[in-house]
Coordinates of all heavy atoms in Angstrom, one line a residue:
M29 N 161.5 19.5 112.1 CA 160.9 20.7 112.5 C 159.8 21.1 111.5 O 160.0 20.9 110.3 CB 162.0 21.8 112.4 CG 161.5 23.2 112.6 SD 162.7 24.5 112.3 CE 163.0 25.0 114.0
T30 N 158.7 21.5 111.9 CA 157.6 21.8 111.1 C 157.3 23.3 111.3 O 157.2 23.8 112.5 CB 156.4 21.0 111.4 OG1 156.7 19.6 111.3 CG2 155.2 21.3 110.5
V31 N 157.1 24.0 110.2 CA 156.8 25.4 110.3 C 155.4 25.6 109.6 O 155.1 25.1 108.6 CB 157.8 26.3 109.5 CG1 157.3 27.8 109.5 CG2 159.2 26.2 110.1
T32 N 154.5 26.2 110.3 CA 153.1 26.5 109.8 C 152.9 27.9 109.7 O 153.2 28.7 110.7 CB 152.1 25.8 110.8 OG1 152.4 24.5 111.0 CG2 150.7 25.9 110.3
F33 N 152.3 28.3 108.6 CA 151.9 29.7 108.4 C 150.4 29.8 108.4 O 149.8 28.9 107.8 CB 152.5 30.2 107.0 CG 154.0 30.4 107.0 CD1 154.8 29.4 106.5 CD2 154.6 31.5 107.5 CE1 156.1 29.5 106.5 CE2 156.0 31.6 107.5 CZ 156.7 30.6 107.0
Q34 N 149.9 30.9 108.9 CA 148.5 31.1 108.9 C 148.2 32.4 108.3 O 148.8 33.5 108.7 CB 147.9 31.1 110.3 CG 146.4 31.2 110.4 CD 145.9 31.1 111.8 OE1 146.7 31.2 112.7 NE2 144.6 31.0 111.9
L35 N 147.5 32.4 107.2 CA 147.2 33.7 106.5 C 146.1 34.5 107.3 O 145.2 33.9 107.9 CB 146.6 33.4 105.1 CG 147.6 32.8 104.1 CD1 146.9 32.5 102.8 CD2 148.8 33.6 103.9
T36 N 146.3 35.8 107.4 CA 145.4 36.6 108.1 C 144.6 37.5 107.1 O 145.1 37.6 105.9 CB 146.1 37.5 109.1 OG1 147.0 38.4 108.4 CG2 146.8 36.8 110.1
N37 N 143.5 38.0 107.5 CA 142.8 38.8 106.6 C 143.5 40.2 106.5 O 143.7 40.9 107.5 CB 141.4 39.0 107.2 CG 140.5 39.9 106.3 OD1 140.9 40.5 105.4 ND2 139.2 39.9 106.7
P38 N 143.9 40.6 105.3 CA 144.7 41.8 105.2 C 143.9 43.1 105.5 O 144.4 44.1 105.7 CB 145.1 41.8 103.7 CG 144.2 40.9 103.0 CD 143.7 39.9 104.0
D39 N 142.6 42.9 105.4 CA 141.7 44.1 105.7 C 141.4 44.2 107.2 O 140.8 45.3 107.6 CB 140.4 44.1 104.9 CG 140.7 44.1 103.4 OD1 141.7 44.8 103.0 OD2 140.0 43.5 102.6
K40 N 141.7 43.2 108.0 CA 141.4 43.3 109.4 C 142.4 44.1 110.1 O 143.6 43.8 110.0 CB 141.3 41.9 110.0 CG 140.9 41.9 111.5 CD 140.7 40.5 112.0 CE 140.3 40.5 113.4 NZ 141.2 41.0 114.4
I41 N 142.0 45.1 110.9 CA 143.0 45.9 111.6 C 142.6 45.8 113.1 O 141.5 46.1 113.5 CB 142.9 47.4 111.1 CG1 143.3 47.4 109.6 CG2 143.9 48.2 111.9 CD1 143.0 48.7 109.0
D42 N 143.6 45.4 113.9 CA 143.3 45.3 115.4 C 143.6 46.7 116.0 O 144.7 47.0 116.4 CB 144.3 44.3 115.9 CG 144.0 44.0 117.4 OD1 142.9 44.3 117.9 OD2 144.9 43.5 118.1
V43 N 142.6 47.5 116.1 CA 142.7 48.9 116.6 C 142.6 48.8 118.1 O 141.6 48.3 118.7 CB 141.6 49.8 116.1 CG1 141.8 51.2 116.6 CG2 141.7 49.8 114.5
P44 N 143.6 49.3 118.9 CA 143.6 49.2 120.3 C 142.4 50.1 120.9 O 142.0 51.0 120.3 CB 144.9 49.9 120.7 CG 145.7 50.2 119.5 CD 144.8 49.9 118.4
E45 N 141.9 49.6 122.0 CA 140.7 50.3 122.6 C 141.0 51.7 122.9 O 140.1 52.6 122.8 CB 140.2 49.5 123.8 CG 141.1 49.5 125.0 CD 140.5 48.7 126.1 OE1 140.3 47.4 126.0 OE2 140.2 49.3 127.2
E46 N 142.2 52.1 123.3 CA 142.5 53.5 123.6 C 142.3 54.4 122.3 O 141.8 55.4 122.4 CB 143.9 53.6 124.1 CG 144.2 53.0 125.4 CD 144.6 51.5 125.3 OE1 144.6 51.0 124.2 OE2 144.7 50.8 126.3
L47 N 142.8 53.8 121.2 CA 142.7 54.6 119.9 C 141.2 54.6 119.5 O 140.7 55.6 119.0 CB 143.5 53.9 118.9 CG 143.5 54.5 117.5 CD1 143.8 56.0 117.5 CD2 144.5 53.7 116.6
Q48 N 140.5 53.5 119.7 CA 139.1 53.5 119.4 C 138.3 54.5 120.2 O 137.4 55.2 119.7 CB 138.5 52.1 119.7 CG 138.9 51.0 118.7 CD 138.4 49.7 119.1 OE1 137.5 49.5 120.1 NE2 138.8 48.6 118.4
A49 N 138.6 54.7 121.5 CA 138.0 55.7 122.3 C 138.2 57.1 121.8 O 137.3 57.9 121.8 CB 138.4 55.5 123.8
V50 N 139.5 57.4 121.5 CA 139.8 58.7 121.0 C 139.1 59.0 119.6 O 138.5 60.1 119.4 CB 141.3 58.9 120.8 CG1 141.7 60.2 120.2 CG2 142.0 58.8 122.2
L51 N 139.1 58.0 118.8 CA 138.4 58.1 117.5 C 136.9 58.4 117.7 O 136.2 59.2 117.0 CB 138.6 56.9 116.6 CG 140.0 56.8 116.0 CD1 140.2 55.4 115.4 CD2 140.1 57.9 114.9
A52 N 136.3 57.7 118.7 CA 134.8 57.8 118.9 C 134.5 59.2 119.4 O 133.4 59.7 119.2 CB 134.4 56.8 120.0
Q53 N 135.4 59.9 120.1 CA 135.2 61.2 120.6 C 135.5 62.4 119.6 O 135.1 63.5 119.9 CB 136.0 61.5 121.8 CG 135.7 60.6 123.0 CD 136.7 60.7 124.1 OE1 137.5 61.6 124.2 NE2 136.7 59.8 125.1
D54 N 136.1 62.1 118.5 CA 136.6 63.1 117.6 C 136.1 62.8 116.2 O 136.8 62.0 115.5 CB 138.1 63.3 117.7 CG 138.6 64.5 116.9 OD1 138.0 65.0 116.0 OD2 139.8 64.9 117.2
D55 N 135.1 63.4 115.7 CA 134.5 63.1 114.4 C 135.5 63.5 113.3 O 135.6 62.8 112.3 CB 133.2 63.9 114.1 CG 132.1 63.4 115.0 OD1 132.2 62.2 115.5 OD2 131.2 64.2 115.3
E56 N 136.3 64.6 113.5 CA 137.2 65.0 112.5 C 138.4 64.0 112.3 O 138.8 63.6 111.2 CB 137.8 66.4 112.8 CG 138.8 66.9 111.8 CD 139.4 68.2 112.2 OE1 139.0 68.8 113.3 OE2 140.3 68.7 111.5
A57 N 138.8 63.4 113.5 CA 139.9 62.4 113.5 C 139.3 61.1 112.8 O 140.1 60.5 112.1 CB 140.3 62.1 114.9
M58 N 138.1 60.8 113.1 CA 137.5 59.6 112.5 C 137.4 59.7 111.0 O 137.8 58.7 110.3 CB 136.1 59.3 113.1 CG 135.4 58.1 112.5 SD 136.3 56.5 112.9 CE 135.6 56.2 114.5
A59 N 137.0 60.8 110.5 CA 137.0 61.1 109.1 C 138.4 61.0 108.4 O 138.5 60.3 107.4 CB 136.3 62.4 108.8
A60 N 139.4 61.5 109.1 CA 140.7 61.5 108.6 C 141.3 60.1 108.6 O 141.9 59.6 107.7 CB 141.6 62.4 109.4
W61 N 140.9 59.3 109.7 CA 141.4 57.9 109.9 C 140.8 57.1 108.7 O 141.5 56.2 108.2 CB 140.9 57.4 111.2 CG 141.2 56.0 111.5 CD1 140.3 54.9 111.4 CD2 142.4 55.4 111.9 NE1 141.0 53.8 111.7 CE2 142.3 54.0 112.1 CE3 143.7 56.0 112.3 CZ2 143.3 53.2 112.5 CZ3 144.7 55.1 112.7 CH2 144.5 53.8 112.8
K62 N 139.6 57.3 108.4 CA 138.9 56.4 107.4 C 139.5 56.7 106.0 O 139.4 55.8 105.1 CB 137.4 56.7 107.3 CG 136.7 56.1 108.5 CD 135.2 56.3 108.5 CE 134.5 55.7 109.7 NZ 133.1 55.9 109.6
K63 N 140.2 57.8 105.8 CA 140.8 58.1 104.5 C 142.2 57.5 104.4 O 142.7 57.4 103.3 CB 141.0 59.7 104.3 CG 139.7 60.4 104.1 CD 139.9 61.9 104.0 CE 138.6 62.6 103.9 NZ 138.9 64.1 103.8
L64 N 142.8 57.0 105.5 CA 144.1 56.3 105.4 C 143.9 55.0 104.8 O 142.9 54.3 104.9 CB 144.6 56.2 106.8 CG 144.9 57.5 107.6 CD1 145.4 57.2 109.0 CD2 145.9 58.4 106.9
T65 N 145.0 54.5 104.2 CA 145.0 53.1 103.7 C 145.0 52.1 104.8 O 145.5 52.4 105.9 CB 146.3 52.9 102.8 OG1 147.4 53.0 103.7 CG2 146.4 53.9 101.7
P66 N 144.5 50.9 104.6 CA 144.5 49.9 105.6 C 145.9 49.6 106.2 O 146.1 49.4 107.3 CB 144.0 48.6 104.9 CG 143.1 49.2 103.8 CD 143.8 50.4 103.4
G67 N 146.9 49.7 105.3 CA 148.3 49.4 105.7 C 148.8 50.5 106.7 O 149.4 50.2 107.7
L68 N 148.4 51.8 106.4 CA 148.8 52.8 107.3 C 148.0 52.8 108.6 O 148.6 53.0 109.7 CB 148.6 54.2 106.6 CG 149.2 55.4 107.3 CD1 150.6 55.3 107.8 CD2 149.0 56.7 106.5
Q69 N 146.8 52.4 108.5 CA 146.0 52.3 109.8 C 146.6 51.2 110.6 O 146.7 51.3 111.9 CB 144.5 51.9 109.4 CG 143.7 53.0 108.8 CD 142.3 52.6 108.5 OE1 141.9 51.5 108.6 NE2 141.5 53.6 108.1
R70 N 147.0 50.1 110.0 CA 147.6 49.0 110.7 C 148.9 49.4 111.4 O 149.2 49.1 112.6 CB 147.8 47.8 109.8 CG 148.2 46.5 110.5 CD 148.3 45.3 109.5 NE 147.1 45.1 108.8 CZ 146.8 45.4 107.5 NH1 147.7 46.0 106.8 NH2 145.7 45.1 107.0
S71 N 149.7 50.1 110.7 CA 151.0 50.6 111.2 C 150.8 51.5 112.4 O 151.5 51.4 113.4 CB 151.7 51.3 110.1 OG 152.9 51.9 110.5
L72 N 149.8 52.5 112.3 CA 149.6 53.4 113.3 C 149.0 52.7 114.6 O 149.3 53.1 115.7 CB 148.7 54.6 112.8 CG 149.3 55.4 111.8 CD1 148.3 56.4 111.2 CD2 150.6 56.1 112.3
S73 N 148.1 51.7 114.3 CA 147.6 50.9 115.4 C 148.7 50.2 116.2 O 148.7 50.2 117.4 CB 146.6 49.9 114.9 OG 145.4 50.5 114.4
Y74 N 149.6 49.6 115.4 CA 150.8 49.0 116.1 C 151.6 50.0 116.9 O 152.0 49.7 118.0 CB 151.6 48.3 115.0 CG 152.9 47.7 115.6 CD1 152.8 46.5 116.3 CD2 154.1 48.3 115.6 CE1 153.9 45.9 116.9 CE2 155.2 47.7 116.2 CZ 155.1 46.5 116.9 OH 156.2 46.0 117.5
Y75 N 151.8 51.2 116.3 CA 152.5 52.2 117.1 C 151.9 52.5 118.4 O 152.6 52.6 119.4 CB 152.6 53.5 116.2 CG 153.2 54.7 117.0 CD1 154.5 54.8 117.3 CD2 152.3 55.7 117.3 CE1 155.0 55.9 118.0 CE2 152.8 56.8 118.0 CZ 154.1 56.9 118.3 OH 154.6 58.0 119.0
V76 N 150.6 52.6 118.4 CA 149.9 52.9 119.7 C 150.0 51.7 120.6 O 150.2 51.9 121.8 CB 148.4 53.3 119.4 CG1 147.6 53.3 120.7 CG2 148.3 54.6 118.6
K77 N 149.7 50.5 120.2 CA 149.7 49.4 121.1 C 151.1 48.8 121.4 O 151.2 47.9 122.2 CB 148.8 48.3 120.6 CG 149.2 47.6 119.3 CD 148.2 46.6 118.9 CE 148.5 46.0 117.6 NZ 147.5 45.1 117.1
S78 N 152.1 49.4 120.9 CA 153.5 48.8 121.1 C 154.0 49.2 122.5 O 155.0 48.7 122.9 CB 154.5 49.3 120.0 OG 154.6 50.7 120.1
V79 N 153.3 50.1 123.2 CA 153.7 50.4 124.6 C 152.7 49.7 125.5 O 151.6 49.6 125.2 CB 153.8 51.9 124.8 CG1 154.9 52.6 124.1 CG2 152.4 52.6 124.5
K80 N 153.2 49.4 126.7 CA 152.4 48.6 127.6 C 151.5 49.5 128.5 O 150.5 49.2 128.9 CB 153.3 47.8 128.5 CG 154.1 46.8 127.7 CD 153.8 45.4 128.1 CE 154.8 44.4 127.4 NZ 154.1 43.7 126.4
N81 N 152.1 50.7 128.8 CA 151.4 51.7 129.7 C 150.2 52.3 129.1 O 150.2 52.8 128.0 CB 152.4 52.8 130.1 CG 151.8 53.7 131.1 OD1 150.8 54.2 131.0 ND2 152.6 53.9 132.2
V82 N 149.0 52.2 129.7 CA 147.7 52.7 129.2 C 147.8 54.2 128.9 O 147.3 54.7 127.9 CB 146.6 52.3 130.1 CG1 145.3 52.9 129.6 CG2 146.4 50.8 130.2
D83 N 148.4 54.9 129.9 CA 148.5 56.3 129.7 C 149.3 56.7 128.5 O 149.0 57.7 127.8 CB 149.1 57.0 131.0 CG 148.2 56.9 132.2 OD1 147.0 56.8 132.0 OD2 148.7 56.9 133.3
S84 N 150.4 56.0 128.2 CA 151.2 56.2 127.1 C 150.4 55.9 125.8 O 150.6 56.6 124.8 CB 152.5 55.4 127.1 OG 153.3 55.8 128.2
R85 N 149.6 54.9 125.8 CA 148.8 54.5 124.6 C 147.8 55.7 124.3 O 147.6 56.0 123.2 CB 148.0 53.2 124.9 CG 148.8 52.0 124.8 CD 148.0 50.8 125.0 NE 148.7 49.6 124.9 CZ 148.2 48.4 124.5 NH1 146.9 48.3 124.3 NH2 149.0 47.4 124.3
I86 N 147.2 56.2 125.4 CA 146.2 57.3 125.2 C 147.0 58.5 124.6 O 146.5 59.2 123.7 CB 145.5 57.6 126.5 CG1 144.6 56.4 126.9 CG2 144.7 58.9 126.4 CD1 144.1 56.5 128.3
K87 N 148.1 58.8 125.2 CA 148.9 60.0 124.8 C 149.3 59.8 123.3 O 149.2 60.7 122.5 CB 150.2 60.1 125.6 CG 151.1 61.3 125.2 CD 152.3 61.4 126.1 CE 153.2 62.5 125.6 NZ 154.5 62.5 126.3
R88 N 149.8 58.6 122.9 CA 150.2 58.3 121.5 C 149.0 58.5 120.6 O 149.1 58.9 119.5 CB 150.8 56.9 121.4 CG 152.2 56.9 121.8 CD 152.8 55.5 121.5 NE 154.2 55.5 121.8 CZ 155.1 54.6 121.4 NH1 154.7 53.6 120.7 NH2 156.3 54.7 121.8
S89 N 147.8 58.0 121.1 CA 146.6 58.1 120.2 C 146.3 59.6 119.9 O 146.0 59.9 118.8 CB 145.4 57.5 121.0 OG 145.6 56.1 121.1
F90 N 146.3 60.4 121.0 CA 146.0 61.8 120.7 C 147.0 62.5 119.8 O 146.7 63.2 118.9 CB 145.9 62.6 122.1 CG 144.6 62.5 122.8 CD1 144.5 61.8 124.0 CD2 143.5 63.1 122.3 CE1 143.3 61.7 124.6 CE2 142.2 63.0 122.9 CZ 142.2 62.3 124.1
E91 N 148.3 62.2 120.1 CA 149.4 62.9 119.3 C 149.3 62.4 117.9 O 149.4 63.2 116.9 CB 150.7 62.5 119.9 CG 151.0 63.2 121.2 CD 152.3 62.7 121.9 OE1 152.8 61.7 121.5 OE2 152.7 63.4 122.9
M92 N 149.1 61.1 117.7 CA 149.1 60.6 116.3 C 147.9 61.1 115.5 O 148.0 61.4 114.4 CB 149.2 59.0 116.4 CG 149.2 58.3 115.1 SD 147.6 57.8 114.5 CE 147.0 56.9 115.8
L93 N 146.7 61.1 116.2 CA 145.5 61.6 115.5 C 145.6 63.1 115.2 O 145.1 63.5 114.2 CB 144.3 61.2 116.3 CG 143.9 59.7 116.2 CD1 142.8 59.4 117.1 CD2 143.6 59.3 114.8
H94 N 146.3 63.8 116.0 CA 146.5 65.2 115.7 C 147.3 65.4 114.4 O 147.0 66.2 113.5 CB 147.2 66.0 116.8 CG 147.6 67.4 116.5 ND1 146.6 68.4 116.4 CD2 148.8 67.9 116.2 CE1 147.2 69.5 116.1 NE2 148.5 69.2 115.9
K95 N 148.3 64.5 114.3 CA 149.1 64.6 113.1 C 148.3 64.1 111.8 O 148.5 64.7 110.8 CB 150.4 63.7 113.2 CG 151.4 64.3 114.2 CD 152.6 63.4 114.3 CE 153.6 64.0 115.3 NZ 154.8 63.3 115.4
V96 N 147.5 63.1 112.0 CA 146.6 62.6 110.9 C 145.7 63.8 110.5 O 145.6 64.0 109.3 CB 145.8 61.4 111.3 CG1 144.8 61.0 110.3 CG2 146.8 60.2 111.5
K97 N 145.1 64.4 111.4 CA 144.1 65.5 111.1 C 144.8 66.7 110.4 O 144.2 67.3 109.5 CB 143.4 66.0 112.3 CG 142.4 65.0 112.9 CD 141.6 65.6 114.0 CE 142.3 66.3 115.1 NZ 141.5 66.7 116.3
T98 N 146.0 67.0 110.7 CA 146.7 68.1 110.2 C 147.6 67.8 109.0 O 148.3 68.7 108.5 CB 147.5 68.9 111.3 OG1 148.4 67.9 111.9 CG2 146.6 69.4 112.4
G99 N 147.6 66.5 108.6 CA 148.4 66.1 107.5 C 149.9 66.1 107.7 O 150.7 66.3 106.8
Q100 N 150.3 65.9 109.0 CA 151.7 66.0 109.4 C 152.4 64.6 109.4 O 153.6 64.6 109.6 CB 151.9 66.6 110.7 CG 151.5 68.0 110.8 CD 151.6 68.6 112.2 OE1 151.9 67.9 113.1 NE2 151.3 69.9 112.3
L101 N 151.7 63.5 109.1 CA 152.4 62.2 109.0 C 153.3 62.2 107.8 O 153.0 62.8 106.8 CB 151.4 61.1 108.9 CG 150.5 60.8 110.1 CD1 149.5 59.7 109.7 CD2 151.4 60.3 111.2
Y102 N 154.4 61.5 107.9 CA 155.4 61.4 106.9 C 154.7 60.9 105.6 O 154.9 61.4 104.5 CB 156.5 60.5 107.3 CG 157.5 60.2 106.1 CD1 158.4 61.2 105.7 CD2 157.5 59.1 105.4 CE1 159.3 61.0 104.7 CE2 158.3 58.8 104.3 CZ 159.2 59.8 104.0 OH 160.1 59.6 102.9
A103 N 153.9 59.9 105.7 CA 153.2 59.3 104.5 C 152.3 60.3 103.9 O 152.2 60.3 102.6 CB 152.4 58.1 105.0
Q104 N 151.7 61.2 104.6 CA 150.8 62.2 104.1 C 151.6 63.3 103.4 O 151.3 63.7 102.3 CB 149.9 62.8 105.2 CG 148.9 61.9 105.7 CD 148.2 62.4 106.9 OE1 148.8 62.9 107.9 NE2 146.9 62.4 106.9
R105 N 152.7 63.7 104.0 CA 153.5 64.7 103.4 C 154.2 64.2 102.1 O 154.3 64.9 101.1 CB 154.6 65.2 104.4 CG 154.1 65.9 105.6 CD 155.2 66.6 106.4 NE 156.3 65.7 106.5 CZ 156.8 65.2 107.7 NH1 156.2 65.6 108.8 NH2 157.8 64.4 107.7
K106 N 154.6 62.9 102.1 CA 155.3 62.3 101.0 C 154.3 62.3 99.8 O 154.6 62.6 98.7 CB 155.8 61.0 101.3 CG 156.6 60.3 100.2 CD 157.1 59.0 100.6 CE 157.9 58.2 99.6 NZ 157.5 58.3 98.3
K107 N 153.0 61.9 100.1 CA 152.0 61.8 99.1 C 151.8 63.2 98.4 O 151.7 63.3 97.2 CB 150.7 61.3 99.7 CG 149.7 60.9 98.7 CD 148.5 60.3 99.4 CE 147.5 59.7 98.5 NZ 146.4 59.1 99.2
V108 N 151.7 64.2 99.2 CA 151.5 65.6 98.7 C 152.8 66.0 97.8 O 152.6 66.6 96.7 CB 151.3 66.6 99.8 CG1 151.3 68.0 99.3 CG2 149.9 66.3 100.5
A109 N 153.9 65.7 98.3 CA 155.2 66.1 97.6 C 155.2 65.3 96.3 O 155.6 65.9 95.3 CB 156.4 65.7 98.5
D110 N 154.9 64.1 96.3 CA 154.9 63.3 95.0 C 153.9 63.9 94.0 O 154.1 64.0 92.8 CB 154.6 61.8 95.3 CG 155.7 61.1 96.0 OD1 156.8 61.6 96.0 OD2 155.4 60.0 96.5
R111 N 152.7 64.3 94.5 CA 151.7 64.8 93.7 C 152.1 66.2 93.1 O 151.9 66.5 91.9 CB 150.4 65.0 94.5 CG 149.2 65.1 93.7 CD 147.9 65.1 94.5 NE 148.2 64.8 95.9 CZ 147.4 65.1 96.9 NH1 146.4 65.8 96.7 NH2 147.7 64.7 98.1
D112 N 152.8 67.0 93.9 CA 153.3 68.3 93.4 C 154.4 68.1 92.4 O 154.5 68.9 91.4 CB 153.9 69.1 94.6 CG 152.8 69.6 95.6 OD1 151.6 69.5 95.2 OD2 153.2 70.0 96.7
R113 N 155.2 67.1 92.5 CA 156.3 66.8 91.5 C 155.7 66.4 90.2 O 156.2 66.8 89.1 CB 157.2 65.7 92.0 CG 158.6 66.3 92.4 CD 159.5 65.2 92.8 NE 159.3 65.1 94.3 CZ 159.3 63.9 94.9 NH1 159.5 62.8 94.3 NH2 159.2 63.9 96.2
E114 N 154.6 65.7 90.2 CA 153.9 65.3 89.0 C 153.3 66.4 88.2 O 153.1 66.3 87.0 CB 152.9 64.2 89.3 CG 153.5 62.9 89.7 CD 152.5 61.9 90.2 OE1 151.3 62.2 90.1 OE2 152.9 60.8 90.6
A115 N 152.9 67.4 89.0 CA 152.1 68.5 88.3 C 153.0 69.5 87.6 O 154.1 69.5 87.5 CB 151.4 69.3 89.4

């Protein structure tokens, strides 16, 4: 048995076209998206593309970007809480 690993570019993020379309229409969401770490962008992209139904992907894109814009993602709240504890 032979196992082969292929390294991928850690900075390459496969953003689903539904999410790209929503980002293209909302400048505020695009600005908030660009502030996220590549790892979080990758995770959220996976969340959107993990469903097969196109309508569900669009719905997830809108809901997730609303949370990104308003700072409601767990990662964003945790970062603020950690910062407040340090102060």
Side-chain angles (χ1 to χ4, degrees):
M29 173 188 255
T30 303
V31 177
T32 306
F33 292 96
Q34 183 178 13
L35 297 178
T36 60
N37 182 349
D39 295 327
K40 183 178 183 292
I41 301 166
D42 184 22
V43 180
E45 65 181 66
E46 297 84 1
L47 180 53
Q48 289 176 7
V50 174
L51 285 167
Q53 295 174 11
D54 189 340
D55 293 335
E56 184 182 355
M58 179 64 85
W61 176 261
K62 288 181 179 181
K63 291 180 184 177
L64 300 176
T65 64
L68 187 52
Q69 288 178 355
R70 190 176 300 104
S71 175
L72 296 174
S73 293
Y74 177 78
Y75 170 72
V76 170
K77 67 182 172 186
S78 65
V79 292
K80 303 240 185 252
N81 185 310
V82 174
D83 292 334
S84 295
R85 286 181 175 206
I86 294 169
K87 181 181 176 188
R88 280 189 176 191
S89 295
F90 277 113
E91 291 172 349
M92 184 263 306
L93 287 175
H94 173 73
K95 289 181 179 183
V96 169
K97 290 190 304 187
T98 57
Q100 294 178 356
L101 288 179
Y102 174 76
Q104 292 171 310
R105 292 190 318 240
K106 184 177 181 322
K107 191 175 186 179
V108 170
D110 290 345
R111 203 174 345 156
D112 289 346
R113 252 184 268 141
E114 291 174 2

